[in-house]
Amino acid sequence: MSEKEAMAFSRPGSDDQMVLKSVDSDVVDSDAVKLAEMGYTQDMRRNYTVLSVLGVGFSLTNSWFGISAALVTGISSGGPILIVYGIILIALISTCVGISLSELASAYPNSGGQYFWANELAPRKYANFASYLTGWFAWAGSIFTSASVALAVGSAGVGCWQLSHPDFVIHPWHVFVGYQVINVFAFFFNCYGKLLPAIGHVTLYTSLVSFFVILVTVPAKAPTHQNAKFVFANFVNNTGWSQNGIAFIVGLINTNWSFACLDCATHLSEEVHRPEKMIPIAIMGTVAIGFVTSWFYAISLFFSMRDVDGLVETSTGVPILALFYQALGSKGGAIALEALIMATGVGCQIACHTWQSRLCWSFARDKGLPFPKFLSKVDKKLDVPLRAHFVSCVIVAIVGCLVITACIVLLYISYSIPVICLLIRGRNNIRHGPFWMGSFGLFSNIVLLLWTVFTFIMYSFPPYMPVKPDNMNYVSAVYGVVVIIILVDWFVRGRRQYRGQVARHDEAVQVLHQVTAANHVVR
């Protein structure tokens, strides 16, 4: 749609049309008009550029950082083979996930992301409940992701202290304190909207510089190096599972975590210009950078590794820190490299908070969460949904370090619901955005759905055998608790209050009038 030509607004599923004549682009904010057509007003400024959105998206996914954290269990569930080939497998799957998300983000650029898409695409009879489920699964997934990142960074900090104080014995409460410190520290960075794009740049460059420093330093300082067979053909199974295949599949959760949260950029759609083009660039760029950095990072680490058992049994509880110490032979040097990982992890935590707050705020404005008036309020002075941010961080603090694997599957479920709705509706029965992959997009949709089913089953298996209370995978219990909360809220409040497809389409006419009037659009 050009700036001078007529714009048509039609409610999806309706024959009603309104034709509005737009004027020059310096008078009309075309992004705000498109948002109004969806039934929303422009509540936050569009301060982000494509680079800063990519910065937030990659800072959250941060695949090479994820590999560092994943070593804590990945080294026992397949060793080098799991990480090296698991990265390739998960990167290919994540490409399909990214394409599926990018197509929908390009067609429907909205901060609600997957819950909004489900609401638009589902049959009218089921649209509200499908959207409601999606929004809750997405927000719950973001909460658990924040918890997992805070746990990883908090554990790294405690591990550094232990390395420098060999007599110190780590107890669970030490890690929990570190977890809370990281969560609170990262909270303040999301309290001022104008700084967030710059923070996105800083965290992106911090991650890439840290990656390069470690990539060069560790192999250069390692006294000996492993051969290619160790890196590419050495399988380690210390899980207790008798079948190596099961150990490998269960261990995939670690590399998969390194490519999770690809929807992050979609929730910044209302804070960047031309989101229908910029968001797909950020999503696919995140996958590409993530694969390149994580794979080469893993290769360099495994060539520099000396003692696998030493990593598994390290008293620091942080295998990557033990690996640095093996390679450098210096506690100070190892702690310095781990500090780079922690700095990257803090950037990841900040991005997590940005992501979860936007999810909470956007879902609340459609009354998908309890206390919607409170949670959907945007602080105009700070230009952030401060209340949604605060409540989300409080919940992360409460969650503590109970479960760290639920986030991935909950997120996949939230991606799958709108994709199922898209396939039922018909891929060619919607208005395509600039990013549309045709038949390969259909293939990507199918891969996403199959992978969601696979992970829902296999990631529920216990990571170690025999199963004990302290090594049990409680993710199934988490699913049950999340579903119970959703159903209770739906029947008590949601089914009556939720602003779904019909209400939003009806209100879109009024919202569009308000926006066009404010922008001096002449009917």
Side-chain angles (χ1 to χ4, degrees):
M1 166 171 57
S2 67
E3 286 105 6
K4 300 268 189 179
E5 66 184 0
M7 297 186 301
F9 164 65
S10 62
R11 291 181 291 170
S14 169
D15 294 329
D16 296 336
Q17 286 191 331
M18 296 175 58
V19 178
L20 302 174
K21 296 180 179 179
S22 67
V23 292
D24 291 341
S25 58
D26 59 341
V27 176
V28 177
D29 183 344
S30 60
D31 291 326
V33 171
K34 292 175 184 177
L35 187 61
E37 291 175 0
M38 301 178 195
Y40 301 96
T41 57
Q42 183 72 54
D43 293 326
M44 290 191 286
R45 300 183 184 92
R46 296 183 183 267
N47 293 324
Y48 282 85
T49 64
V50 65
L51 182 61
S52 54
V53 173
L54 175 61
V56 174
F58 178 71
S59 296
L60 174 54
T61 302
N62 233 323
S63 299
W64 76 266
F65 164 76
I67 293 300
S68 300
L71 279 180
V72 71
T73 51
I75 200 68
S76 299
S77 302
I81 281 185
L82 170 74
I83 304 297
V84 171
Y85 297 107
I87 289 174
I88 297 174
L89 173 63
I90 299 300
L92 292 174
I93 293 170
S94 295
T95 299
C96 294
V97 175
I99 288 172
S100 298
L101 296 178
S102 295
E103 284 187 331
L104 290 171
S106 184
Y108 301 100
N110 185 283
S111 289
Q114 53 266 50
Y115 93 78
F116 175 82
W117 307 332
N119 199 237
E120 283 294 292
L121 297 171
R124 179 171 294 187
K125 182 178 179 180
Y126 307 104
N128 286 5
F129 188 61
S131 173
Y132 193 81
L133 281 177
T134 305
W136 267 99
F137 282 135
W139 188 51
S142 71
I143 294 295
F144 283 112
T145 300
S146 288
S148 66
V149 174
L151 178 60
V153 181
S155 298
V158 174
C160 288
W161 179 262
Q162 199 285 328
L163 183 63
S164 61
H165 299 78
D167 295 332
F168 178 71
V169 177
I170 297 176
H171 296 289
W173 71 268
H174 296 139
V175 177
F176 183 76
V177 170
Y179 169 100
Q180 299 296 352
V181 169
I182 296 300
N183 186 46
V184 172
F185 179 71
F187 168 83
F188 295 101
F189 289 89
N190 270 276
C191 292
Y192 191 60
K194 288 185 178 180
L195 291 180
L196 285 176
I199 292 173
H201 289 148
V202 171
T203 54
L204 174 62
Y205 294 135
T206 298
S207 177
L208 295 178
V209 170
S210 299
F211 156 76
F212 182 76
V213 170
I214 296 173
L215 182 74
V216 172
T217 302
V218 173
K221 295 293 292 182
T224 60
H225 296 89
Q226 297 287 352
N227 55 38
K229 182 178 180 180
F230 174 86
V231 176
F232 296 103
N234 180 35
F235 190 87
V236 177
N237 182 2
N238 293 324
T239 63
W241 285 99
S242 58
Q243 304 92 344
N244 286 342
I246 296 295
F248 180 87
I249 291 173
V250 171
L252 276 176
I253 184 73
N254 303 288
T255 48
N256 206 157
W257 187 71
S258 304
F259 285 87
C261 319
L262 292 178
D263 63 300
C264 173
T266 69
H267 305 294
L268 296 174
S269 293
E270 296 173 32
E271 298 176 67
V272 62
H273 290 288
R274 295 183 298 154
E276 65 278 3
K277 294 182 179 180
M278 300 300 105
I279 299 303
I281 292 174
I283 293 174
M284 301 312 298
T286 295
V287 176
I289 298 173
F291 169 69
V292 172
T293 55
S294 62
W295 197 77
F296 283 102
Y297 179 75
I299 294 297
S300 70
L301 293 184
F302 288 129
F303 270 115
S304 307
M305 187 180 296
R306 285 194 295 171
D307 179 13
V308 176
D309 292 336
L311 302 187
V312 175
E313 299 170 1
T314 175
S315 57
T316 66
V318 185
I320 190 67
L321 177 60
L323 192 153
F324 292 158
Y325 184 44
Q326 286 183 8
L328 274 64
S330 165
K331 292 183 178 180
I335 292 173
L337 293 185
E338 188 66 25
L340 294 178
I341 291 181
M342 291 181 64
T344 300
V346 169
C348 184
Q349 188 70 25
I350 294 170
C352 280
H353 285 183
T354 304
W355 171 48
Q356 69 184 19
S357 65
R358 271 40 174 195
L359 259 170
C360 180
W361 159 73
S362 60
F363 196 36
R365 69 180 174 178
D366 283 323
K367 301 178 181 178
L369 295 172
F371 312 108
K373 290 184 179 180
F374 178 82
L375 292 174
S376 62
K377 178 72 173 179
V378 174
D379 190 302
K380 296 299 183 181
K381 185 176 181 180
L382 299 176
D383 196 31
V384 292
L386 189 61
R387 296 176 180 179
H389 173 45
F390 175 77
V391 170
S392 296
C393 288
V394 168
I395 294 175
V396 171
I398 294 171
V399 167
C401 51
L402 295 177
V403 180
I404 66 171
T405 60
C407 59
I408 297 177
V409 179
L410 289 174
L411 292 174
Y412 279 141
I413 293 173
S414 77
Y415 303 161
S416 295
I417 294 175
V419 168
I420 291 172
C421 296
L422 172 64
L423 297 180
I424 293 174
R425 176 84 168 264
R427 286 175 52 84
N428 291 322
N429 292 330
I430 69 168
R431 181 182 60 186
H432 299 167
F435 185 95
W436 191 257
M437 298 297 288
S439 58
F440 192 74
L442 174 60
F443 172 79
S444 298
N445 294 161
I446 294 172
V447 170
L448 167 59
L449 297 180
L450 292 176
W451 186 247
T452 300
V453 174
F454 178 83
T455 56
F456 180 78
I457 297 171
M458 299 308 301
Y459 289 177
S460 298
F461 279 39
Y464 298 102
M465 295 292 288
V467 178
K468 300 177 182 178
D470 61 342
N471 67 12
M472 177 60 186
N473 187 349
Y474 293 98
V475 69
S476 298
V478 174
Y479 298 153
V481 171
V482 171
V483 169
I484 289 172
I485 292 173
I486 293 173
L487 293 178
V488 169
D489 186 58
W490 171 256
F491 286 107
V492 171
R493 183 197 59 84
R495 61 178 178 174
R496 292 179 290 101
Q497 296 183 9
Y498 188 55
R499 181 178 178 250
Q501 187 185 98
V502 176
R504 185 166 42 75
H505 291 168
D506 290 339
E507 294 173 15
V509 177
Q510 180 181 357
V511 174
L512 186 60
H513 275 306
Q514 293 174 351
V515 172
T516 52
N519 285 287
H520 304 92
V521 175
V522 181
R523 186 169 184 175

